[in-house]
Amino acid sequence: MEIVFASRHESSPHAWVHALQQALPEHRVRLWDAEGPAGQADAAVVWAPPAGLFAREPRLKYLFNLGAGVDALLTLPGLPDAVTLVRMEDGGMAVQMAEYVLHYLIRQSRDLGRYAGFQAQAAWRPLDDIEREAWPVGVMGAGVMGARVAQACAALEYPVAVWSRSGREVAGAQAYGQAQLPQFLARTRVLVNVLPLTDDTRGILCRATFEQLRPDAYVINIARGEHLVAADLLACLDSGRVRGAALDAFEQEPLPPSHPFWADRRIEVTPHIAGASLMGLTVQQIAGKVRAVVRGEPITGVVDRARQY
Ligand code: GLV
């Protein structure tokens, strides 16, 4: 196979090409070159690929996305119908997302943020003991990442539920299907979003959703900014319905300096780092899939375009 690596955002594209070539010595891996002659690539490894990719690489049969979310890929102008899209299923992301969620969950449930203030006053002031039953976690999304997040919270004995289109079971968590969203929200205080962005999930973190949560709720969004209706979150923070939020993804990235989220003490902003694709694991996963494709075997992670993930 000839494989081209094409990304507008990747700061070290040569390192990716090198790692892919090392993992796939029997194939040819090269860097996308907008100036060079039209290519003969059979597959492309992409993250925010350049606009000219499809016109210049007419033989492409596979597009391997460096991320789990393919929302941006699906709306690329010129994306040929016949290209098989493959999303990253983990690439080291799931465990990082679990860490991220545990961090913000525990800061809330243990009130750990308050001790810094006490320390500044040299005050020895133990807060109340934790009551895990008071912090039921609800994870939206039961794929590789949602499951890992849910299991991590369950391992620390928080009551955990997962909600997904399919109602998929996750060990240690209570599973809710699509039609059971109201029941899922009603038992949830810490709402974690790990859903793919689709026409059905856009704007799902809105006032109607927040108002169904348990009182004094907390919201963690580690999926896409478009899942969240920013004005609704701010209104629910003001009304006290939601106590705070940890947000890692935004409609516009980087988040503009003038955005109200930056200065809001109830919101913790992180720059889309909750679950990064780690080069070694990502390359291993893509190499395994390339080899399976060449052997004519089925692969997982193939995007269903009608479902949008
Ligand atoms: C990151 O946002 C991803 O889609 O993997």
Side-chain angles (χ1 to χ4, degrees):
M1 263 206 198
E2 180 165 321
I3 302 167
V4 62
F5 180 88
S7 166
R8 283 180 293 119
H9 292 340
E10 189 46 60
S11 53
S12 39
H14 290 284
W16 280 96
V17 171
H18 180 72
L20 284 161
Q21 186 64 79
Q22 293 244 304
L24 291 163
E26 70 277 34
H27 298 281
R28 173 163 185 250
V29 184
R30 65 179 165 82
L31 187 60
W32 155 261
D33 174 8
E35 309 300 324
Q40 297 292 308
D42 310 283
V45 174
V46 301
W47 184 244
L53 178 67
F54 304 115
R56 295 182 65 81
E57 296 289 355
R59 286 185 34 164
L60 283 183
K61 286 185 224 43
Y62 290 92
L63 213 52
F64 293 95
N65 194 37
L66 284 186
V70 290
D71 43 290
L73 215 50
L74 286 171
T75 55
L76 276 182
L79 177 71
D81 291 341
V83 173
T84 301
L85 308 179
V86 187
R87 68 190 145 81
M88 192 44 51
E89 288 170 286
D90 189 343
M93 287 175 242
V95 67
Q96 297 170 65
M97 288 185 155
E99 279 171 347
Y100 185 100
V101 169
L102 286 179
H103 173 88
Y104 289 103
L105 166 66
I106 293 168
R107 262 176 84 82
Q108 295 301 313
S109 68
R110 300 287 309 266
D111 232 348
L112 291 175
R114 288 180 63 196
Y115 290 104
F118 298 160
Q119 180 175 352
Q121 300 157 16
W124 184 269
R125 193 175 306 161
L127 294 169
D128 290 344
D129 295 340
I130 186 170
E131 276 183 69
R132 282 191 175 65
E133 317 71 62
W135 293 93
V137 179
V139 182
M140 302 176 105
V144 176
M145 280 165 283
R148 184 71 187 250
V149 167
Q151 283 163 353
C153 298
L156 294 187
E157 299 171 25
Y158 289 88
V160 183
V162 289
W163 175 77
S164 67
R165 215 171 61 105
S166 62
R168 180 185 294 159
E169 299 283 340
V170 172
Q174 209 179 338
Y176 290 83
Q178 188 160 26
Q180 295 169 302
L181 185 60
Q183 294 90 323
F184 164 82
L185 295 173
R187 51 74 60 205
T188 293
R189 180 166 177 198
V190 178
L191 183 65
V192 181
N193 177 39
V194 199
L195 289 168
L197 181 67
T198 68
D199 292 341
D200 291 335
T201 66
R202 190 179 310 274
I204 196 164
L205 301 178
C206 62
R207 183 191 288 258
T209 295
F210 300 143
E211 285 180 347
Q212 293 176 69
L213 293 168
R214 288 228 193 156
D216 205 26
Y218 191 79
V219 176
I220 301 178
N221 186 22
I222 50 174
R224 287 288 182 266
E226 290 86 343
H227 284 125
L228 174 71
V229 181
D232 286 7
L233 175 65
L234 292 170
C236 289
L237 286 166
D238 288 344
S239 71
R241 193 64 192 74
V242 174
R243 61 154 45 203
L247 306 177
D248 184 58
F250 304 90
E251 244 177 299
Q252 195 185 337
E253 294 183 1
L255 186 65
S258 59
H259 199 285
F261 286 167
W262 282 118
D264 197 315
R265 294 176 59 83
R266 304 160 299 185
I267 297 176
E268 311 251 16
V269 170
T270 51
H272 207 134
I273 47 73
S277 311
L278 303 180
M279 190 184 289
L281 293 168
T282 301
V283 164
Q284 253 176 42
Q285 191 176 111
I286 293 174
K289 289 182 184 185
V290 167
R291 292 213 173 91
V293 163
V294 169
R295 288 194 300 264
E297 292 167 8
I299 53 172
T300 57
V302 172
V303 174
D304 175 342
R305 294 203 197 186
R307 207 177 59 167
Q308 299 175 16
Y309 65 93

